Amino acid sequence: MREWLRWGWAQLTSMRTALILLFLLALAAIPGSIIPQQSISPIEVMDYKAEHPELDRIWEPLGMYHVYTSPWFSAIYLLLFISLIGCITPRIAKFARDLRKPPPRLPSRLDRLPASATVDTPVDDALGIAEAWLKSKRYRTLRTDDGISAERGYLRELGNLVFHLSLVGVLVGLAWSNLGGFIGTVVVVEGRGFANAITQYDDFTAGAWVDTDALEPFSLRVDHFDARFETGRVQRGAARVFDAYVEVTDEGVTTDHLLTVNDPILTSGGTQVNLLGHGYAPNVTVTDGNGDVAFSGPVVFLPQDGNFSSVGVIKVPDGRPQRLAFEGFFFPTAVLDQDGPKSVFPDALEPELWINAWYGEPADETGIPESIYTLNTAGLEPVLGDGEERFRARMKPGAAFSLPDGLGSISFDGYSRWVKLQMSETPGNPVALTSLAIGTLGLCLSLFIKPRRLFVRLGDGVAVGGLDRSDTALGLEDEVSELAEALTKESE
């Protein structure tokens, strides 16, 4: 059993296994960039499941909607971590021993080396001249009565070790971010705010070390969001400006910030605020059958295409004597043709709100959360208009419609914009980024430093020889010739 364990450990800690695991880790990360991830976009996951039910039956058991926290991805990650540590540790010990050892013994026949030369003329103090030349080229030398052994290129192995240690540092940094960090998203309408508390998030994923009751105390308010699009004939509708004007209160100090897609805000406690997306929130007022305002305010609609044709649900559970609900379609630049209504430009040039209505008896509060983006029609009936057809309304800003049978009314008061913000803490990122920088330096050392040995032996003349310890090294013959030439010049 002990022999099997020793064999297994040797296989796991071999460089070949480490490379295979590194390749598998990169391969395992591919599904996370192709399949929507629950921690980043739960709405896209819902849409993906609805559109691909056959694939969903395969992906769900395999954990493809949360790839980076799945057991199989974590297993590869941990095995790679162990493999690298087991592979690097003995190499560090060997490198330390090599540094203490002097250059190798002087070969008896330098003419058998890959590159050699001979200076036939006796040279006074040949060893002193050769040693001075070698040290000027940063060689470590070992001088004996018969000649000199010289070696350089120790930093190549150091570069290799630094590179592999940096991979361990990257893994540590990523693990630290996963365990001690969090990522959450929230949709905030213009004029409204957000406080960094767990109950304020639409979606929140945290590591095992995160205390969700002690998140960094800061808040923000979205004062205004400015979106501009190309109006010319070339690239019409392409995004040109996405600017969110945000007021942040951090440690009791309120400051104004301009938040853009590639320029996040960093709070004093290390929380990063990113701008992920935006859309429209029609402002509506709903009056119930008793004549009371049962709902008033913006409702977030989700864009469905590049021209921001958006869908949303207006829920009025407090309507009396009947509760009301509306399924709506918002078109920023509305056009009605033979295919139906649609938006032909992403900016709100001709905004319209199209709705159909539902009503039903007031429902008991169950405390069970439900999505604000979908309507559960259980217990509801469609509102019927003339000719017993479904009631539908097409409204421009400022328009209002009364519902049949005294059920109430709805008005389209205008629209606001909303932004999707991502708050995240990744405490291991500095470690990972520093490790990457150090690893790049180590890789450069291992690629560009040439480990080489040169020898000088006294005899009837002076023999010079050398060999490279790397197959990719160049210039050995030239350096041997330069050393021989230096000795020849001294003999003249």
Side-chain angles (χ1 to χ4, degrees):
M1 181 64 178
R2 182 179 298 177
E3 294 298 324
W4 279 105
L5 290 175
R6 185 176 299 172
W7 177 84
W9 176 254
Q11 296 301 312
L12 177 61
T13 57
S14 68
M15 182 56 65
R16 179 181 60 184
T17 301
L19 291 174
I20 292 173
L21 288 171
L22 188 61
F23 173 75
L24 288 177
L25 189 69
L27 193 65
I30 294 176
S33 62
I34 298 175
I35 302 172
Q37 298 298 290
Q38 185 71 33
S39 61
I40 299 175
S41 182
I43 295 174
E44 288 187 16
V45 172
M46 293 172 56
D47 294 340
Y48 185 89
K49 288 183 174 183
E51 294 173 3
H52 306 87
E54 297 296 330
L55 288 175
D56 178 56
R57 283 194 283 270
I58 301 173
W59 296 157
E60 183 70 40
L62 294 177
M64 288 298 183
Y65 301 120
H66 43 86
V67 167
Y68 306 111
T69 57
S70 62
W72 52 271
F73 188 88
S74 300
I76 298 173
Y77 189 93
L78 290 174
L79 286 173
L80 176 60
F81 189 86
I82 295 171
S83 179
L84 285 173
I85 293 294
C87 177
I88 294 170
T89 301
R91 289 182 61 182
I92 293 176
K94 181 179 182 301
F95 179 67
R97 291 194 299 269
D98 290 343
L99 285 178
R100 293 193 298 267
K101 289 195 312 185
R105 291 183 301 173
L106 186 66
S108 58
R109 295 284 303 273
L110 299 189
D111 56 342
R112 295 179 177 178
L113 296 178
S116 61
T118 303
V119 180
D120 296 328
T121 307
V123 180
D124 295 334
D125 194 20
L127 296 184
I129 297 170
E131 186 173 25
W133 188 92
L134 289 167
K135 288 184 176 181
S136 70
K137 302 294 184 179
R138 300 185 300 279
Y139 279 89
R140 291 174 58 189
T141 60
L142 175 63
R143 181 170 176 175
T144 63
D145 293 338
D146 296 329
I148 296 175
S149 299
E151 186 173 20
R152 74 176 182 192
Y154 292 89
L155 289 181
R156 179 187 177 89
E157 179 61 13
L158 177 62
N160 276 323
L161 293 175
V162 167
F163 174 72
H164 289 92
L165 284 172
S166 73
L167 293 180
V168 176
V170 171
L171 294 178
V172 169
L174 293 177
W176 187 6
S177 291
N178 286 331
L179 292 172
F182 72 85
I183 181 171
T185 59
V186 62
V187 171
V188 183
V189 180
E190 286 178 311
R192 299 195 174 187
F194 162 83
N196 191 33
I198 184 67
T199 56
Q200 296 283 299
Y201 284 95
D202 298 331
D203 180 69
F204 187 86
T205 303
W209 297 345
V210 176
D211 182 1
T212 56
D213 295 327
L215 298 178
E216 181 189 359
F218 75 90
S219 61
L220 60 83
R221 173 186 171 87
V222 179
D223 292 328
H224 175 65
F225 180 74
D226 183 20
R228 302 177 191 173
F229 305 90
E230 178 61 50
T231 58
R233 301 179 68 177
V234 179
Q235 294 187 335
R236 180 176 174 80
R240 290 293 178 257
V241 174
F242 289 156
D243 292 338
Y245 296 87
V246 179
E247 185 181 85
V248 179
T249 301
D250 186 12
E251 294 187 335
V253 179
T254 301
T255 54
D256 294 327
H257 295 268
L258 175 61
L259 179 61
T260 61
V261 174
N262 295 316
D263 188 14
I265 298 171
L266 188 65
T267 65
S268 60
T271 302
Q272 184 169 294
V273 182
N274 289 82
L275 176 63
L276 293 187
H278 69 100
Y280 292 95
N283 294 292
V284 298
T285 299
V286 179
T287 303
D288 62 17
N290 291 336
D292 298 322
V293 175
F295 177 84
S296 181
V299 181
V300 173
F301 277 43
L302 300 179
Q304 303 298 301
D305 56 34
N307 287 323
F308 281 75
S309 300
S310 305
V311 298
V313 174
I314 305 166
K315 299 182 181 182
V316 191
D318 298 327
R320 295 296 182 271
Q322 303 288 338
R323 62 185 173 110
L324 302 172
F326 302 86
E327 293 175 318
F329 303 85
F330 179 80
F331 306 104
T333 303
V335 170
L336 179 62
D337 57 21
Q338 65 273 13
D339 297 323
K342 62 182 178 181
S343 177
V344 296
F345 192 73
D347 208 353
L349 304 181
E350 292 289 340
E352 289 185 6
L353 177 63
W354 293 58
I355 62 167
N356 55 56
W358 299 76
Y359 74 100
E361 294 294 328
D364 295 330
E365 293 290 342
T366 63
I368 300 175
E370 59 180 46
S371 173
I372 63 172
Y373 304 114
T374 59
L375 178 62
N376 182 3
T377 58
L380 295 175
E381 296 181 18
V383 175
L384 302 179
D386 296 336
E388 296 300 312
E389 294 184 355
R390 289 284 305 269
F391 172 83
R392 293 180 175 85
R394 175 186 182 183
M395 296 185 289
K396 293 181 179 294
F401 274 90
S402 295
L403 301 177
D405 303 324
L407 291 173
S409 64
I410 181 172
S411 64
F412 177 28
D413 305 323
Y415 67 90
S416 301
R417 294 182 186 268
W418 58 260
V419 295
K420 185 176 183 180
L421 304 179
Q422 175 184 280
M423 284 67 166
S424 61
E425 282 190 14
T426 49
N429 275 8
V431 175
L433 291 175
T434 302
S435 298
L436 282 175
I438 295 175
T440 301
L441 176 61
L443 186 61
C444 291
L445 291 176
S446 66
L447 290 176
F448 297 114
I449 290 182
K450 305 170 184 177
R452 180 170 290 170
R453 290 173 178 173
L454 292 182
F455 304 95
V456 178
R457 173 176 282 279
L458 298 180
D460 295 337
V462 181
V464 179
L467 61 88
D468 278 323
R469 301 180 63 194
S470 170
D471 294 336
T472 60
L474 301 173
L476 174 63
E477 293 183 357
D478 293 338
E479 197 159 34
V480 169
S481 298
E482 289 177 11
L483 176 55
E485 185 178 352
L487 294 169
T488 301
K489 287 181 178 179
E490 294 295 332
S491 66
E492 295 176 351

